[in-house]
Structures are given as structure tokens and as C-alpha cells.
Amino acid sequence: MVWEPSNQLEAERLEKLQHLRSAGIDPYPNRVKRTHTTAEAVAAFETVEAAGGAVTVTVCGRIVRRNIKGKVSFMHIEDGAGRLQLFVRVDSIGEAMYTLVKEKAIELGDFVQATGTMMRTKTGEVSVNVGELVVLAKALSPLPVIKQQTLDDGTVKQYGEFSDPEERYRQRYADLAVNPDVREIFRIRARTLAALRRFLDDEGFLEVETPILQPIYGGAAARPFVTHHNQLHQDLYLRISFELYLKRLMVGMYDGVYEIGRDFRNEGVSRKHNPEFTQLEFYKAYIDYYEVMDLAERLVSSAAERVTGSTRIAYQGHEIDFAPPWRRVTLRDITLEHTGVDYMAHPDAEGLRAALRAKGRHAADGATWGRLVNDMLDYAEPHMMQPHIVIDYPRDISPLAKVKPDDSQLVERFEFFIGGLEIGNAFTEINDPLDQEQRFIDMGRLYAAGDEDAHPIDEDYLRAMRYGMPPNGGFGMGVDRLVMLFADLPNIREALLFPHLREAGDAGE
RNA sequence: GGGCGCGUAGCUCAAUUGGCAGAGCAGUGGCCUUUUAAGCCAUUGGUUGAAGGUUCGAGUCCUUCCGCGCUCACCA
């Protein structure tokens, strides 16, 4: 025996397992003979019930409720399709098997297979009148027990819960097993991904996959995770964005590409940040950021409608309307609105910092002017519940975006915010290789000034651009945050099946 | 990384000023051939996150550590 029970409940279950074996029952058989899901069994019965027809089914599932009586018992099993009651009578399944049920050798959490004819109990519940009961999988650890009471008005009152966030995330399998609401979140997530793909496919984009392990990271402002290829003696980085690879494909004559995949950022964890997260990026040739705005509105609103059935959703007590057009506002106006400071009136870092502090706003020491401007957005972000497109960002924090023709300090970039969350970022992409190289160099200088490691310059990306890159608009979006909106989740961890947690520690030594 | 809060039975939670560690569900033993939060009777289960300290006495107070939550910071 490798595993040792850690408490009385597990010890008892282990004894029951051995009891089943000694009764000649394989608690983990290889073969299953399911003929109907629980939902199919109910539907099959209901179609023939009026005519007095009989339906025999074999259904499988986990025991989620038991009511054991002296000679007749009721159990509910649950499978992926729903719940179904088993009506188990000693006369029908025999003394020996009934005793196993009664002695709880077969109990909550176990998987079973039941064969019998469909019937209605005295109280009207569609059930299986079980003639044969087979153990499919014995559960050795007890799941939390949750009971539900259906009230007269049809609402379901719940007794007992499995709600400790740490345990729910660490043992997501148990969370999913007992909390159907959590299962639903990840159906919403799957539908979201499908809806996004469908929109982009219909728009003629090509779905591609680019390297996750990259010799040079780029395309975003973030610290990377570093790893190493042993045989090649090469350090590699887990990507922080897809951007530079996808734009190489613009050079390669695809008119539109997109990728949905994982990015990794070696930064703080928060309600809105997980070290690995799902990003959607697309690039389309021959469009600018105004056309990307239109695409963003249609992409997100169509996904909302496909996933939730409506472009209006409830999020954390607010009603959000995804229907285009979204409010479009300049970064200058929205930050002025929420900080009382007009950054255009303070064109250098020192002056802007002083102005912000005079208003009681946070202004980081040593931050560049662009950085201070970007930080001003933090005051506006929580207020942007309805979709907002914030346009025209400072050049020095946007090294991949094209400068506005009429203002060399601003670039053609927008971010959009929904539900108080930053959801996406987009711009008219630089396609002038010499401009791009200079921007990289300028950025490296800023980094050096800020005592940060210089961001590596991706020479191969510049080489690609020198072959000629069509004008194009690019777009990036945090898919997990979109799922937060669609599933009404306050926390990104709820939108991730297995969110990052610190290693489960014991005592400090 | 900083601040604040939390950690008690398998799950969800109590425990007065520092004074016998408890409840419900689950489990165990009974009764029960149409229950559905089934019910009734009896009952088991604890290194109170870990290690130290103060005290006659610590779940409670102090220190350190671990983990989680909120928040701030970090985040071209």
C-alpha cells in the first residue's frame, strides 16, 4: 500500500474498498455499458410515457445524494448531462447488493452504473428502477457534501458549500466536481474562444501559431521568464507577446493573421494578472487603427452575443452594453476628467509630476513623462464600466505604434476598457524599418536612464521589415478578462482552470 | 516587496476578559419498502497552519515562518 489514509473518513472508505473486493466486486472495472446519459434517459422515458411504453436504460454517474432506508433506497447520480434518481429496492437488486448499498460500501462520490426500467416515483420524479447496480469507481477521499432544497417558488436553496478559494484553486477537480456553477464558467470560456475564432475566421483571418520559446522577447513591456535549452546551450524566453512574430507574417504576404495562445509575464500577481494568460492578437494589412477600432467593437460585441445571448450583460452589479459604437475619448480627455490634470499643459516629466502631486495624485519618482501619463489612466480605469476606446498615447511608451501625422509626440494607438478592466490594446503598426530601429534605440536609452536592463533589439524583426511590410493595424486582447466579463467574475483566477498559486507550504523551518 | 485581514474536525462555521475545543452536514451503529436538506435514537472524529515565547493556564497575547484574501507598489 502506497497511499495512507490521512483521516478517519478516508480510512473507512479504504476499508469499504477492501470489503467490495472481498465480496468479489471489482471497484475499478475496465468495461462500461452505458446506453443513455442521464438527460437522454429522462427524455426517452418522457416520449413514451403517455403511451405506456417502457424504456430500459443503463446510465452511469457519480453518486451525489443518497437516502438509504431499510429495504428501499434512493440515490441521485450525476453525469455531464445532469442528475437522475435511482430507485433501488432490495427485491430488485438482491439481498447481497442491497446490503452493500445499505452498509455504504457504495456511497457518495462513487461512480456507478445502473441498469433498469424508467419509472416515476410516487412523488412524480422520473427515476431508474434499478435491477442491476455496478461499481465503476470507488472514491477514497470524501468530496464536500452539498445539499440542495427546491423551494415552493422553484428556487434552489443550498446547504453546505465548498468555498475556500485556496482549496478550490488547489483542488480545482474537487471544486468542479461539487460546484456546477464553476463548471459553467469554463463552458462560457470555451464558447468565448469559439466565438472569437469564428468571427476572425469569417473575416478572412488566418489562424497561426508562433514560437512560445523565443531567443529574444518583445512586443510588450514586461519582464520575461527565462529558460534554457540544454543541448543547444541557449537561453530562451517564454514569450511576453506574439506581436513581432505575427508582423513578420505581414511581410510574408498574409493579409490577416491571428493567434490565440498563452503569454507569460514575470510580474506581480493580482486580481487582474496571472503569470500566464491567454491573449488574442490579430494583424490586418491595409488598415489603420480607426478600422481596428471598428473590428474590435464588432469582435467583442459579436462574442458577447454568441456567448451570453445578448450584447447587454450584468457585470458585478453593473449593466454593460457591448453594442457599437463605443465611447471614443482621447487619453488626454479621459485622464483630465479623472485627475484634473491636463498633461498637455505639462510637457515634461518634472512639471507633470509636480502638477499631479499638487492634485494629490500619485506620481512615481524617476518615471518618464510618458510613463506618468500612462499612470494617470489608473484613475480613469475603474470608472470605465461601459466600453471605452481611449485613443492617442504618448510616443515614448509606444515603440511599435506609428506617430500621428499632426503630432509627433503622440501615436496612433488605442486601448479599450470594459467593466473597469483594460481589455485590449491596438495601433497603427510601424512599417518604416528605419523609424522602427530608431524607436527601439530610443527605448533602450530610456531603459538605461531608468536603470533598467536595456530591452533587447530584435534585429531579425527589423530585417523582415526592411523587405517591405504593408501598412497594417494590430490588436491584442486579454481573453481571460473578457471571460471575466461574460461570466461575471470579480477575479481572473476564477476564469482560469488552474490559476497560479504559491507552492503549498507547510511550516517554516 | 509594503500595509491590513484571515488560517479551528472531511466541508461550512462557533468558542465571552486568557479558563474543560463545540455545532450543522458528512462519517459510524441502530430503526425504516416511494425518499428528495428524508426522519428518529445513539455515536466517532482535533498537532486550533508551523516553530518559538509570555503565563498557574494560550484557539485567544507576543515573535518568526508558511499559505490565502484585500490593497498598494512593480508591470516600454
Side-chain angles (χ1 to χ4, degrees):
Chain A
M1 184 61 59
V2 182
W3 172 75
E4 295 290 341
S6 61
N7 58 53
Q8 177 188 327
L9 297 179
E10 288 182 339
E12 285 164 358
R13 281 174 177 261
L14 186 59
E15 280 177 26
K16 290 167 182 171
L17 174 81
Q18 284 151 354
H19 182 57
L20 287 175
R21 287 213 160 101
S22 62
I25 289 172
D26 179 359
Y28 303 101
N30 288 39
R31 305 292 168 234
V32 180
K33 293 182 289 191
R34 180 163 84 163
T35 62
H36 294 70
T37 67
T38 55
E40 288 165 355
V42 172
F45 177 67
E46 286 176 341
T47 57
V48 303
E49 184 181 16
V55 182
T56 299
V57 300
T58 298
V59 292
C60 301
R62 188 196 292 276
I63 299 171
V64 294
R65 175 184 164 261
R66 284 163 37 100
N67 178 11
I68 304 303
K69 301 162 76 76
K71 292 196 166 58
V72 61
S73 295
F74 301 86
M75 296 189 281
H76 277 85
I77 62 167
E78 182 172 309
D79 64 9
R83 289 189 176 196
L84 177 60
Q85 181 167 265
L86 306 182
F87 180 62
V88 180
R89 210 164 19 178
V90 61
D91 306 343
S92 305
I93 67 165
E95 195 76 42
M97 197 64 192
Y98 193 82
T99 301
L100 292 177
V101 171
K102 194 175 167 185
E103 291 176 346
K104 303 189 184 177
I106 298 169
E107 62 192 319
L108 287 174
D110 297 347
F111 284 88
V112 296
Q113 168 179 290
T115 302
T117 55
M118 300 298 294
M119 58 169 283
R120 257 181 215 279
T121 60
K122 192 183 277 181
T123 54
E125 180 163 352
V126 176
S127 309
V128 182
N129 188 2
V130 179
E132 185 189 26
L133 190 66
V134 175
V135 177
L136 293 181
K138 179 73 193 160
L140 292 179
S141 296
L143 286 167
V145 176
I146 293 174
K147 295 188 173 187
Q148 291 178 333
Q149 179 184 22
T150 305
L151 302 174
D152 290 342
D153 61 3
T155 59
V156 175
K157 190 175 180 186
Q158 183 170 303
Y159 299 84
E161 56 184 332
F162 182 49
S163 56
D164 180 63
E166 180 172 357
E167 289 310 314
R168 285 181 49 235
Y169 300 145
R170 286 197 193 283
Q171 303 192 56
R172 185 66 106 175
Y173 33 86
D175 185 28
L176 292 162
V178 303
N179 290 322
D181 292 354
V182 178
R183 292 207 287 270
E184 181 57 22
I185 290 170
F186 298 99
R187 293 200 178 90
I188 290 171
R189 186 178 175 111
R191 290 205 300 275
T192 301
L193 289 164
L196 295 171
R197 284 202 165 89
R198 179 159 164 196
F199 177 91
L200 292 167
D201 291 344
D202 288 350
E203 289 284 324
F205 285 86
L206 180 73
E207 181 172 9
V208 298
E209 294 175 281
T210 62
I212 293 173
L213 292 175
Q214 302 181 349
I216 298 175
Y217 60 94
R223 284 197 293 273
F225 289 95
V226 187
T227 187
H228 186 78
H229 190 294
N230 291 340
Q231 194 176 10
L232 300 180
H233 306 298
Q234 181 184 15
D235 283 336
L236 292 165
Y237 303 93
L238 275 62
R239 66 182 173 190
I240 57 173
S241 84
F242 323 152
E243 171 143 7
L244 300 182
Y245 280 94
L246 292 181
K247 285 196 301 203
R248 283 170 166 89
L249 299 177
M250 293 285 96
V251 176
M253 297 301 284
Y254 293 114
D255 279 354
V257 295
Y258 76 92
E259 179 166 5
I260 296 176
R262 210 64 65 85
D263 274 344
F264 307 85
R265 296 188 181 177
N266 204 340
E267 290 168 355
V269 177
S270 80
R271 184 174 77 85
K272 296 181 274 191
H273 299 81
N274 195 67
E276 54 181 295
F277 63 99
T278 297
Q279 180 98 280
L280 180 159
E281 290 189 26
F282 72 69
Y283 295 83
K284 185 173 182 182
Y286 317 119
I287 67 171
D288 61 23
Y289 77 145
Y290 291 109
E291 289 160 283
V292 176
M293 290 178 210
D294 296 337
L295 272 169
E297 289 176 342
R298 291 196 293 124
L299 171 70
V300 173
S301 60
S302 75
E305 185 147 23
R306 282 197 179 121
V307 172
T308 71
S310 168
T311 56
R312 301 170 80 89
I313 65 157
Y315 180 67
Q316 302 293 294
H318 297 83
E319 188 185 32
I320 294 175
D321 187 351
F322 288 93
W326 297 348
R327 182 185 174 195
R328 295 185 185 186
V329 58
T330 62
L331 179 64
R332 180 188 184 183
D333 289 343
I334 197 77
T335 54
L336 175 58
E337 185 179 326
H338 292 282
T339 66
V341 175
D342 179 0
Y343 59 72
M344 293 304 279
H346 307 279
D348 62 85
E350 275 315 312
L352 181 54
R353 185 176 298 112
L356 285 166
R357 288 178 176 171
K359 289 277 185 183
R361 308 298 182 184
H362 172 77
D365 289 324
T368 63
W369 182 81
R371 173 66 196 291
L372 289 171
V373 168
N374 200 48
D375 286 352
M376 290 168 72
L377 250 184
D378 292 343
Y379 290 98
E381 186 172 307
H383 301 286
M384 294 190 278
M385 294 303 301
Q386 297 306 316
H388 277 66
I389 290 175
V390 178
I391 66 174
D392 296 345
Y393 279 65
R395 176 183 184 277
D396 70 358
I397 56 169
S398 311
L400 299 158
K402 253 186 182 172
V403 168
K404 284 177 74 77
D406 56 354
D407 188 339
S408 65
Q409 285 311 304
L410 296 178
V411 294
E412 294 195 347
R413 172 182 173 188
F414 73 89
E415 291 186 305
F416 62 101
F417 297 80
I418 310 173
L421 297 169
E422 181 193 332
I423 301 296
N425 182 23
F427 22 92
T428 305
E429 304 289 340
I430 294 178
N431 66 336
D432 172 345
L434 303 181
D435 179 31
Q436 182 67 79
E437 182 173 8
Q438 189 58 50
R439 299 281 287 278
F440 280 161
I441 291 167
D442 291 348
M443 197 55 55
R445 196 174 295 136
L446 285 175
Y447 258 97
D451 253 12
E452 295 278 344
D453 292 340
H455 207 78
I457 292 182
D458 190 336
E459 297 290 350
D460 181 72
Y461 175 64
L462 294 170
R463 176 171 66 180
M465 197 179 288
R466 287 194 293 268
Y467 283 114
M469 177 185 286
N472 66 95
F475 171 93
M477 178 170 73
V479 174
D480 314 278
R481 291 182 184 172
L482 196 63
V483 173
M484 287 170 67
L485 296 174
F486 291 167
D488 193 14
L489 306 172
N491 193 307
I492 197 169
R493 280 187 278 265
E494 294 288 355
L496 297 162
L497 275 169
F498 300 101
H500 177 76
L501 292 176
R502 236 176 261 270
E503 200 171 346
D506 243 358
E509 294 294 320

